[in-house]
């Protein structure tokens, strides 16, 4: 059941600064022991234009999204989503430790069972999913760490998953900031977004797998061409990455939770430092890469992202909206616009399908939402 949409006024710069400064530290992904971040950039006339977040505006032609229906509902703590050959979907339950197959036409659900070794807790559990060459890959929280495993699926086993095989272990775990998104890139390498677990120093430590974007072979070895010899680390200085996607030219984009000030959309390049905890948002500091777009934490708290029809689509948890960020190459081509604001509650994952379709997963049953009848659900969206 949809929630009533709340009409939002356009942001003014002074209002944004006020909201950012007063944002609570106890909502999605903002708890833990992280110290206060530096003050946001000043809104004075002398401030650089890049210091202010983009304001919402009308979407250009071809950039609107509509909900064409609900594929399925009654999901519990859904997190990861992956499309199988043929169009059916796999969805993970973070807290129930299960993977469910969802018919891409009818929405009928088939349980594939629990994944052994998952230890849910806080923001950890069974999270991101990816599918490649008869394997289902999963990012999960185990007893001692976060890790990536893979399981055989299909063939003669039908709707059964094989036993988990470790791909990469030793990713730091915590009550908060576990990252969890995985996806295969155009180069057929496996990428993962991780978090710094509330221990901010891990993000700048290139020997740690926390607070990073990782790039590896399907077997978990450092991918050829990685920036640091013998390491799966691809980029660093991240707080908590839960969204990764590639545009039509193969550029990597990532969504990242800020602390109390700015959430970020970053263009990710090999070996670059994205600043956390020394910088949050567009800081303009030498040695750090500024985000392409940023939002007050109350307007986003971004999890999954997808690329479709010239734009990044970003799901917001605390913000309870779907953001569209139009792109021209490596830059914005217009102001971001919010869709579905407070209509379906917290939004966790967005996945691009064929023909301008998006799949959108809600997140009201993750202990931080207010579940209503039918929650949680997978929505079918059309971009036009």
């Amino acid at each position: 059941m949809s929630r009533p949409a709340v009409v939002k006024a356009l942001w003014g710069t002074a209002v944004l600064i006020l909201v950012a400064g007063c944002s609570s530290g106890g909502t999605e992904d903002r708890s833990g022991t992280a110290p206060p971040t530096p003050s946001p950039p000043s809104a004075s006339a002398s401030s650089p234009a890049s210091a202010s977040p983009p304001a919402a505006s009308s979407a250009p032609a071809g950039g609107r999204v509509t909900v064409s229906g609900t594929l399925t509902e009654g999901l519990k703590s859904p997190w990861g989503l992956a499309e199988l050959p043929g169009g059916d979907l796999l969805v993970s339950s973070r807290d129930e430790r299960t993977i469910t197959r969802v018919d891409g036409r009818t929405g009928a659900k088939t349980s594939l069972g629990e994944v052994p070794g998952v230890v849910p807790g806080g923001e950890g559990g069974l999270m991101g999913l990816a599918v490649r060459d008869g394997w289902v890959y999963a990012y999960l929280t185990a007893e001692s760490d976060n890790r990536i495993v893979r399981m055989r699926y299909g063939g003669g086993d039908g709707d059964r998953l094989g036993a988990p095989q470790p791909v990469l272990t030793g990713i730091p775990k915590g009550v908060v900031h576990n990252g969890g998104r995985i996806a295969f890139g155009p180069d057929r390498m496996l990428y993962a977004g991780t978090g710094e677990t509330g221990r901010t120093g891990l993000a700048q430590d290139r020997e740690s797998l926390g607070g990073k974007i990782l790039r590896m072979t399907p077997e978990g070895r450092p991918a050829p061409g990685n920036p640091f010899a013998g390491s799966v680390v691809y980029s660093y200085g991240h707080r908590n990455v839960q969204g990764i996607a590639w545009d039509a030219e193969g550029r990597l984009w990532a969504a990242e939770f800020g602390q109390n000030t700015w959430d970020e959309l970053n263009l990710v390049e090999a070996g670059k430092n994205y600043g956390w905890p020394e910088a949050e948002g567009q800081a303009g500091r030498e040695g750090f890469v500024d985000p392409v777009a940023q939002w007050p934490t109350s307007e986003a708290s971004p999890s999954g992202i997808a690329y479709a029809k010239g734009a990044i689509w970003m799901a917001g948890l605390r913000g309870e909206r779907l953001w569209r960020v139009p792109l021209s190459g490596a830059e914005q081509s217009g102001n971001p616009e919010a869709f579905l604001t407070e209509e379906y509650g917290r939004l966790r994952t967005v996945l691009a399908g064929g023909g301008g379709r998006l799949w959108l997963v809600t997140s009201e049953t993750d202990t931080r939402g207010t579940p209503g009848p039918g929650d949680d659900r997978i929505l079918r969206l059309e971009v036009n």
Side-chain angles (χ1 to χ4, degrees):
M1 181 177 298
S2 297
R3 291 163 176 76
V6 177
V7 178
K8 296 291 186 181
L10 293 177
W11 298 337
T13 305
V15 174
L16 286 176
I17 298 300
L18 178 60
V19 171
C22 297
S23 178
S24 169
T27 54
E28 171 71 28
D29 196 64
R30 309 194 196 287
S31 53
T33 58
T37 51
S39 299
S42 169
S44 68
S46 61
S47 297
S50 61
S52 298
S57 71
S58 297
R64 295 211 166 270
V65 68
T66 56
V67 177
S68 60
T70 297
L71 176 64
T72 197
E73 56 185 23
L75 300 169
K76 302 304 178 187
S77 61
W79 210 103
L81 190 70
E83 188 168 11
L84 292 165
D88 287 355
L89 302 172
L90 296 182
V91 58
S92 65
S93 168
R94 186 191 69 184
D95 299 338
E96 309 258 325
R97 301 171 288 183
T98 58
I99 296 178
T100 299
R101 180 171 181 152
V102 179
D103 189 291
R105 294 170 298 165
T106 68
K109 294 178 290 196
T110 303
S111 175
L112 306 188
E114 291 188 9
V115 175
V118 181
V119 181
E123 294 174 5
L126 182 58
M127 294 177 281
L129 297 177
V131 174
R132 177 58 58 91
D133 298 333
W135 294 95
V136 175
Y137 289 74
Y139 185 115
L140 59 87
T141 306
E143 184 67 41
S144 61
D145 60 0
N146 285 307
R147 57 181 56 191
I148 300 170
V149 303
R150 65 179 183 175
M151 299 158 280
R152 278 292 183 189
Y153 180 63
D157 292 329
D159 277 331
R160 293 178 54 193
L161 291 168
Q165 301 179 15
V167 172
L168 182 70
T169 61
I171 303 169
K173 65 172 280 188
V175 176
V176 295
H177 309 180
N178 288 290
R181 195 70 61 184
I182 58 175
F184 280 94
D187 56 3
R188 297 184 64 84
M189 296 295 108
L190 179 63
Y191 292 72
T194 74
E196 34 77 307
T197 71
R199 292 177 285 165
T200 59
L202 297 184
Q204 291 293 322
D205 180 1
R206 295 211 306 257
E207 299 301 314
S208 171
L209 300 181
K212 309 293 189 298
I213 292 177
L214 311 177
R215 178 176 178 262
M216 69 203 78
T217 69
E219 297 74 32
R221 295 188 292 271
N226 273 7
F228 309 113
S231 174
V232 296
V233 171
Y234 188 71
S235 63
Y236 64 108
H238 300 287
R239 185 172 182 268
N240 191 23
V241 176
Q242 288 189 8
I244 52 178
W246 289 264
D247 64 24
E249 301 301 320
R251 287 175 287 257
L252 174 60
W253 297 83
E256 178 171 347
F257 290 90
Q259 183 168 303
N260 293 322
T261 311
W262 304 122
D263 293 324
E264 302 178 358
L265 177 67
N266 285 296
L267 175 63
V268 179
E269 298 180 270
K272 296 296 181 65
N273 185 344
Y274 288 81
W276 179 256
E278 303 301 322
E280 181 181 1
Q282 295 170 340
R285 294 180 58 178
E286 184 177 357
F288 301 143
V289 179
D290 278 348
V292 173
Q294 64 181 25
W295 294 260
T297 56
S298 60
E299 303 290 339
S301 296
S303 189
I305 64 173
Y307 177 84
K309 291 198 172 182
I312 292 291
W313 299 85
M314 186 177 79
L317 289 163
R318 184 181 173 197
E320 298 188 359
R321 67 202 71 186
L322 180 68
W323 284 102
R324 176 184 181 270
V325 185
L327 300 177
S328 176
E331 299 179 351
Q332 291 186 69
S333 60
N335 291 332
E337 184 183 18
F339 293 89
L340 311 181
T341 302
E342 297 185 2
E343 291 187 30
Y344 295 94
R346 295 159 56 81
L347 305 179
R348 171 70 66 180
T349 297
V350 57
L351 179 70
R357 183 181 66 235
L358 295 172
W359 299 111
L360 182 63
V361 181
T362 66
S363 191
E364 285 291 289
T365 60
D366 67 347
T367 74
R368 287 173 171 168
T370 307
D375 283 330
D376 273 308
R377 63 197 77 212
I378 301 175
L379 302 171
R380 184 187 294 108
L381 277 55
E382 303 294 332
V383 182
N384 44 50

